[in-house]
Amino acid sequence: MGLLDGKVAIVSGIGPGMGRDISLTLAREGADIAMLARRKDPMAEVAAEVEALGRRAITIPCDITNAADCDHAAATAKEKLGRIDILVNNAFHGGDYKSLMDADLNDWKVTIETNFIGTMQLTKAVVPAMKELGEGRIVMINTQSSLWVKPNFGAYAGSKAALAFVTKTLARELGGFGIRVNGIHPGFIWGDSVRGYLERQAVARGVPFQQVYDEVAAETCLGYLPDSAEISGSVLFLASDLARPVTGQWFAVNCGQYLP
């Protein structure tokens, strides 16, 4: 028996990192997966992996900044998989990494449209199907950057901080329908992008890569940087009945790098 037997999950932002690992983790516990992304190829690859686990998988091209796309995705998932129990809002825009005075605020609007408005549009599209069931789980993939203030992250961190607050608002608004709404806030997620970032830091400083990694890992309580497969376990917890009394909460999933 899996923790999610008979459940259907929508996962947005399917790609080689968090989207893939969240989908596989939920599928291993019995969930069928509706995958959303703008590009088809990554979804097809992950769908094949989910099906190899014996679960159903469908792929739905979706730009979450387009409300019609979100409505179509929710309707298609329900039509083809029969229900929607879980929504994992994983799609995001990384921002421009510029200070306010150097930024073009039109670029900030793009980030906000994805990380906040787009996430709300997809959530709004999915909630009616959960109301029909009398319960549901919504998990927001947030970021440590919205808690740990650093320069040049205004667009990304600001949009995600708004999402963190509204996660609590939605918990209040939707709790009467049995819908739990929570978020996770990862720090560095070990993978190709973080490795590339640390490699560039090592080159710029003229020091070995391992030295840079060790310095960053030493900022955590546990002494390492978790990968997306490990972080996806926190999503599974919030999506399952193990977290039945948990709503309106956020978890820092960062090996203790930042302790708010």
Side-chain angles (χ1 to χ4, degrees):
M1 292 287 291
L3 290 171
L4 302 178
D5 283 350
K7 304 296 187 182
V8 171
I10 293 180
V11 182
S12 69
I14 298 298
M18 283 293 295
R20 170 185 179 270
D21 286 322
I22 290 168
S23 297
L24 294 178
T25 295
L26 301 185
R28 289 189 187 100
E29 291 296 327
D32 297 324
I33 312 294
M35 301 176 187
L36 277 55
R38 289 179 297 177
R39 296 189 298 127
K40 295 181 179 180
D41 290 348
M43 290 194 292
E45 294 172 6
V46 179
E49 293 184 90
V50 168
E51 290 172 345
L53 295 171
R55 306 314 311 164
R56 294 182 294 169
I58 63 172
T59 62
I60 309 171
C62 179
D63 178 351
I64 65 169
T65 66
N66 184 312
D69 275 13
C70 294
D71 291 341
H72 171 74
T76 301
K78 185 181 177 187
E79 177 186 357
K80 293 189 175 182
L81 297 178
R83 56 193 290 152
I84 303 172
D85 301 272
I86 300 157
L87 169 63
V88 183
N89 280 307
N90 177 63
F92 75 99
H93 187 284
D96 60 1
Y97 303 106
K98 293 181 179 179
S99 70
L100 171 64
M101 301 312 296
D102 292 331
D104 180 341
L105 291 185
N106 287 317
D107 294 334
W108 283 38
K109 289 178 182 178
V110 173
T111 306
I112 293 167
E113 281 290 330
T114 300
N115 295 347
F116 186 65
I117 301 300
T119 298
M120 290 301 100
Q121 286 180 160
L122 182 57
T123 300
K124 188 174 182 179
V126 168
V127 162
M130 293 181 174
K131 286 183 176 180
E132 288 182 11
L133 296 175
E135 66 172 355
R137 306 289 191 275
I138 300 172
V139 183
M140 310 295 191
I141 308 302
N142 208 296
T143 174
Q144 178 173 272
S145 296
S146 64
L147 307 172
W148 191 3
V149 180
K150 292 191 173 185
N152 302 330
F153 278 75
Y156 179 59
S159 62
K160 287 290 197 175
L163 178 62
F165 190 91
V166 170
T167 294
K168 296 178 181 295
T169 303
L170 292 177
R172 286 288 188 192
E173 293 179 355
L174 300 176
F177 302 101
I179 300 171
R180 284 80 167 167
V181 189
N182 297 287
I184 68 165
H185 292 241
F188 279 113
I189 303 173
W190 182 245
D192 290 342
S193 61
V194 169
R195 175 184 286 276
Y197 170 73
L198 298 183
E199 286 174 344
R200 292 191 294 274
Q201 294 294 310
V203 170
R205 293 171 52 191
V207 299
F209 164 79
Q210 192 62 44
Q211 177 180 330
V212 177
Y213 176 90
D214 290 344
E215 289 171 357
V216 175
E219 295 176 353
T220 74
C221 296
L222 299 178
Y224 75 99
L225 304 181
D227 61 22
S228 55
E230 188 171 10
I231 290 170
S232 68
S234 298
V235 178
L236 171 62
F237 168 69
L238 292 173
S240 76
D241 277 346
L242 292 176
R244 186 170 177 80
V246 179
T247 194
Q249 304 301 311
W250 56 262
F251 297 157
V253 186
N254 59 4
C255 286
Q257 184 178 20
Y258 175 68
L259 302 174

